Structures are given as structure tokens and as C-alpha cells.
Amino acid sequence: MNSVVNSGFSSQLFPNLLELARTQRLALGDLFTFAENFNAEGRKSEAGELYKTWLAYNETHPGAQMVYFNYSVMLRQLNDIAGSINAMRAALKIDPMFGPAHINLGRAFEDSGSSPQAIQQWRSFVESTAETTPDRLSYRVMAMQHIGRVMENAGLLEEAETVLWDAMELRPEKTETGQHWSAIRQRQCKWPIIIPSSHVTERQMIDSLSPLTLGCYSDDPMFQLARAYEYNKGFVGRIDLRNFPRNKVKQKTGTGQRLRVGYVSSDLRDHAVGFALREVLELHDKASVEIHAYYCGDPVSNDATQTRMKAAVDVWHDIGTLTDEAAARQIASDEIDILIDVNGYTKHARTKIFGYRPAPVIVNFCGYPGSMGSPFHQYMIADAQIVPPSSEIYYSEKVLRIACNQPIDRKRFIAEKPSREKAGLPENAFVFACFNGMQKITAGTFEQWKAILTETPGSILWMLSGNEKADQRLLSMFVEAGIDAERVIFAPKVANAHHLARIGVADLFLDTFPYGAHSTAADSLTVGLPVLTFPGKSFASRFCSSVVAAAGVPELICEGPQDYVAKAIAYAKNPAALKAVRDKLQANRETSALRDIPGLARRLEELYWQMQGEAERGETPVPDFRNMDVYYEIGTELVLENLEFVDEATYRARYLEKMREWQAFSHIPHDARLWTPEAAATA
């Protein structure tokens, strides 16, 4: 056999390899080598045929289960899910405790639309590994993670929480488990979110929070930056770029050539981000920029947003089935100048694509409310309300600004406005509304709403339904607080056009903190519903105030939670004052910055050309992560106190006090964030 291996790999060998497999002379290692080489050359069917032939004539080989497993993977790549399932079952007949086959068999059931069968497959493995080896424990935890993920997607939140908790207690250092567990608790309004046990510490739970979940948990922009930095190291890691083409900056300024701009997102479809971007893409100046869209989401059909986007951009690329490296190579071959990350750390994000640096300039915009904390995102587009100059220290990217960070689509279809009765609301009551996701409602927000409802007898709180159990939990808490159950009404989910129409029947939208309304605020203001909010320090906590300011009604921006409660009560008791705000909102509607989408498109193009000019001059910013490990360690201490709202001066003083304590023990080098030479001099 060695002579075959040493003779080199060529297409003429295939018949000889089949003969060696039939005569039991093809060694296991050589089988895998040749099959992998066939696969790498795109000859998947030949690789599959080689596996199938070997298995037919080597059934009693002690490594047959591994061959069945590899064969099953090959069949999945050939879209033969049924064949893949049969191959994995054959592997499990040989070795019933073969963890990888149990995991992949469940995934195959899930992908074929049989989630209950997938859960049962994983559960059977979990039950059979109650007492097991460390190796099998790893796959046991993996199976539990999959069960929790599928249950979460199916809306079985309590069941998912339970199985993920068991997985956390087995392997608390596996941050992916805790990441889903904490997010599920937020969606159920289970407070406190962080609950340690004798097996899982508070620190481990904090370490497992995703940056997005942290945004709902705490208004701490420095820790959010540090968490994003740590998260990126685990999520993307250090990519080997030695064999990846690094495009040089092209000289385009003043040449008349168009700038090639690429938007990458899984949400270029009927989704809040898709709704926000579609008119912007239509209004880009095609004489100035050539727009490429890279869609990395699940396939969709008859999707109105995607249809419009495909018509608007110069080139549409579906990259959902490509690996991260292949997608990055596609972008590099398209010679993109400015690459826009429209996902950030959200669902279906493909952050690793950007880690390959497939374009000279990479930008964080529109999809994620915070800093990426990555070494390869050089710019972030925000606005002056979300990121005033004094707050730039909380972002690793260079901040460039537009008028308002929330694009809208002025062509969006809105159904006919329903009556209060049809919307399920009492006709004459004052209706407070909040259509933010359940995960944004915190214990602090609940206390504020309770105070507002208590001081406005007869008023209604109208919320978007989460799931039945979460709705009931919130309702029970209001009842325990002395609020009649009839005063808390949950709006069922409806088609987007009808949801937009019904929003306007409410009187006042109450924002959440620390993660406020984004597109939901723009939707509400678009249909004339005033939005009451108060900004904090983080991107997510300041976003809503940006939208409100852009709509021309800054009087709805409060100074803090006490002012927020007082103003909500005052508006409920003074309908004339609220009517004046609504009239102003309507009068400013078409001239407001919120609806100046042509101006937004022009401004974005200006910024893209500014970035290009800086790149041509060798001035592209380099993210600075000095002392980020220190900020992370201090942040983990401070975030556990979870002080929901503190002013900027108090916030910075808390960090500096901890840094001085750290400095007394171990020297901290100066940085450009909080530990400046001036701050260190007072240590």
C-alpha cells in the first residue's frame, strides 16, 4: 500500500483504490487520506463511492464505525440526508456509545424537519452517559446544548433553561451553554438573571454572557467593550492568514472610478435590519459607489425586502452555504474597498469572514448596538447622540457620524389603522405601550412601570406578547404589586403591516432600559406614537434617544429613571400636553432627520470616501486594546453590583477607584481610555 501512497495522488488511481478496498488491502489511514483528497478536489461522489466500497468488503474491520461516520458526513455534503442517517445508525450499531455519531444523527433529524426525533436521539445519549468517561462527558454536554438550542428555537423556554442548567453544572467553563441559558432567562423575565450554584460561579456566568445579552443586562460601555474583545477572541480566534490574499488599497480618489462597497448580513430580508436598509440601498449614488450585497442568512422565497434589495444593488451574492474562508475569498476576489458588517454579534453572524480581512477597510454599522472589540473592525458609524465625543473611549473602532443611526424605509406599507376595540383595548383608557422584546424588560424597568401604573389609575399597559408562560409571569408580578390584571394587555404577533397600523392607537410608548427600542422606536414615531425614553451611557441605552431626537421631539428624552416616571405620569394626567407633542411629531414628520433617507445615503457615501482617502494615505485606524484585560477584570466585579442607572461621573469614578487599587498592587501602563497619565497621576 505504501507504494500506492508514494506514487502520488491522481485521478487514474480511483479504479485501483476501489480494487484495493474490495480486496481488503486499503488501510484505514490511506482510505481517509484519499477520500479527503477527493473531497478537496470537489470529487465528493468519488469519495463517497470509495467509502461505500470499503464498507461493503471490510465490515469486520475494528475501525468500521469511523468509516461509517466519515461516510455519513460525505453523504450530508451530497445532500443525501437519508443515506447519512443510515450510515450513522450503522456506526452506532458497532459502537453504541460513539458520541460524534449521536450528535450528528440528531443534527440530521433536525435538518430534515424532525426536531422531536432529534431531541429524542440526543436525550437517549444523555441518559446512557449518566456515569461516563471525560471523553463521553464532553459529548453528553454537547447533546444537552443541542437539546436546549432546539427547544429554545421552538419556544419551549423553560424546558430549554432546565436542560441547559444541567449542562452548565457539568461543564461550567463551556461558555456557549451559559450564553444561551442567560438569554433564555431574559426572554422569560426571570430576575435576577444571574443565579450561581455550588457548581457554577457568578464569574463563570458573567464570562458566558454574549455581548448582546450583556447589553440587556447592564449599562456599562467599558465592560461591554472588554466583553466584546474577549468574546471575539473565542468566537473568531487568531486566523491563519499566511495563504490568504491581502488586497492592497486601490487609488480611487479623484480618478472617477466607483468605490466598491459590500454589505454583509444574514438579515437582508423581511427583518428589522432589512426594513431599515432597503431604501438606503435604493438611493445610493451608483455613479459614486458600486454596491455588492453578501447574504449569509437562510434561503427565503417570495421575500419582498430581498426582492427590492436584489433590484437595487449592483451585485447580489448568496454566501450562506460557503465556509467563512470561501466567503472571504469571494469578497476579496470582488475587490471590495469598503466592507460593512451589518450583523455584529447577532444571530447567524459570520464574524470570522471579517477576520480574514477580505477588504482593506471594515466597518461596523446598522446591525449591532456596540463596539465589536475586534482587531479587524476599523470604523463604526454612529451618531452624535449615541456616541458623543466624550464616549469614544468605549469603542475600539474610529467613530464616524451620520445624522441618525436608524435608517427607515419611507415606502413601507402600513395597513389601515384599527379601532381600539379591534386592537383589544378599552376605548377611553390611557394606553401606555411597549413593543420591545421581553428580553429588554428588566427588574428596574418593571419597577418604573409599576410606579407609573400605580399613579395613573385606570391606565393600561399594552405589551407585545413573548410566550404564554412569560406573559403570565409578568402579569402575576403586576397583580402581586396591586395592579389589576385587566390593566395589563398582551398584543399577539401579527403581520408587520398590521402591527405598524395598530401601534398608533396607543397614547405613549414607554422605552426599556438599559437596552432601549431601536427600529421599534422608529416604527412608533413614524405612525405618530410619542416615545418616552432616558439615555444611559452605552450604545444600546442611548439609541432610542437618538431616534426621538431625530424625529424632532427632544422633550420626550428624560434625564433619568425618576424623570421618566414623572413625565409618563404627567402626560397621562395632562392629555393636552401630550396632544401638543403628537401634533409637533406630525408637523415635523416629513422634514425630520429621521425621514431624510436621501441625505443619509449621501452622508454614508461621504464617509465611505473619507475612509477610502484615509486608507490611500495609510491612515486607516488601528484598534487599541491596551489594558483591556484590566478593564475586563474590573468590569466583572462592577457588573455584579448591577447598578442599573448611574451618571457618567459616578460611573467613571467607580472604574478609577478600582484601577487605583489595581495600580497599588501591579503597575498599569497608561492608555487613552480611563487610565490616562492625568488619572494615573492621582493614584
Side-chain angles (χ1 to χ4, degrees), residues 41-354:
E41 290 188 355
R43 298 159 65 191
K44 297 183 187 298
S45 60
E46 290 172 280
E49 183 68 20
L50 183 57
Y51 278 133
K52 184 169 68 174
T53 302
W54 191 95
L55 286 166
Y57 295 93
N58 296 266
E59 184 179 7
T60 59
H61 192 286
Q65 75 273 19
M66 291 297 301
V67 182
Y68 272 116
F69 180 78
N70 281 24
Y71 181 41
S72 74
V73 173
M74 185 64 58
L75 290 171
R76 282 297 301 276
Q77 294 174 349
L78 292 168
N79 295 318
D80 183 359
I81 294 184
S84 178
I85 289 172
N86 286 330
M88 281 183 281
R89 281 175 168 161
L92 289 171
K93 282 183 180 178
I94 298 171
D95 182 0
M97 299 300 289
F98 188 23
H102 281 283
I103 298 299
N104 280 18
L105 184 52
R107 291 299 300 269
F109 285 137
E110 180 189 359
D111 291 346
S112 61
S114 182
S115 293
Q117 207 167 353
I119 290 173
Q120 183 54 44
Q121 176 63 40
W122 292 319
R123 271 190 166 151
S124 68
F125 182 68
V126 169
E127 290 167 1
S128 66
T129 54
E131 295 182 9
T132 186
T133 63
D135 178 59
R136 285 177 179 159
L137 176 62
S138 178
Y139 288 108
R140 172 185 167 91
V141 170
M142 194 180 299
M144 296 167 82
Q145 288 175 333
H146 282 307
I147 293 170
R149 176 182 54 78
V150 173
M151 285 180 165
E152 179 185 3
N153 291 339
L156 303 172
L157 301 185
E158 288 201 341
E159 295 85 346
E161 180 190 344
T162 298
V163 72
L164 289 174
W165 176 258
D166 291 341
M168 282 172 62
E169 292 220 300
L170 284 173
R171 296 288 296 274
E173 77 282 3
K174 293 285 186 180
T175 57
E176 183 183 350
T177 312
Q179 177 181 325
H180 283 274
W181 182 83
S182 56
I184 287 171
R185 284 185 66 82
Q186 286 181 332
R187 288 176 61 189
Q188 297 178 92
C189 298
K190 285 190 172 179
W191 311 312
I193 301 300
I194 300 299
I195 301 180
S197 74
S198 55
H199 300 289
V200 188
T201 66
E202 286 184 326
R203 172 58 186 264
Q204 287 170 323
M205 289 184 165
I206 293 296
D207 287 342
S208 71
L209 289 174
S210 75
L212 203 60
T213 298
L214 180 60
C216 295
Y217 183 75
S218 172
D219 180 36
D220 186 338
M222 187 63 79
F223 184 57
Q224 284 167 7
L225 170 60
R227 182 73 197 103
Y229 172 69
E230 291 295 327
Y231 185 82
N232 185 274
K233 287 196 293 185
F235 187 42
V236 177
R238 184 180 176 186
I239 297 174
D240 185 354
L241 300 174
R242 287 173 294 182
N243 297 316
F244 192 87
R246 191 74 175 267
N247 289 349
K248 294 182 179 179
V249 179
K250 287 184 168 52
Q251 183 69 38
K252 289 195 171 180
T253 303
T255 66
Q257 296 181 71
R258 292 195 296 172
L259 199 60
R260 288 192 176 183
V261 178
Y263 289 87
V264 183
S265 179
S266 63
D267 300 326
L268 303 179
R269 54 185 173 84
D270 284 344
H271 179 279
V273 171
F275 297 149
L277 273 182
R278 57 191 180 187
E279 190 178 2
V280 172
L281 295 181
E282 290 170 339
L283 291 174
H284 267 313
D285 180 4
K286 296 304 178 61
S288 174
V289 291
E290 177 184 311
I291 302 299
H292 290 245
Y294 296 91
Y295 178 63
C296 58
D298 295 330
V300 294
S301 58
N302 302 317
D303 187 282
T305 296
Q306 197 161 101
T307 299
R308 277 178 60 182
M309 287 183 164
K310 286 180 176 179
V313 301
D314 291 279
V315 189
W316 178 274
H317 309 266
D318 276 303
I319 60 170
T321 59
L322 299 181
T323 65
D324 293 325
E325 182 177 352
R329 288 185 183 278
Q330 171 70 61
I331 294 166
S333 69
D334 293 332
E335 298 183 327
I336 298 300
D337 300 299
I338 311 292
L339 190 63
I340 317 298
D341 182 354
V342 194
N343 265 123
Y345 298 125
T346 59
K347 191 174 183 180
H348 301 310
R350 298 285 298 276
T351 313
K352 197 168 185 176
I353 291 173
F354 302 93

Side-chain angles (χ1 to χ4, degrees), residues 18 403 472 538:
L18 293 180
Q472 188 57 49
S538 60

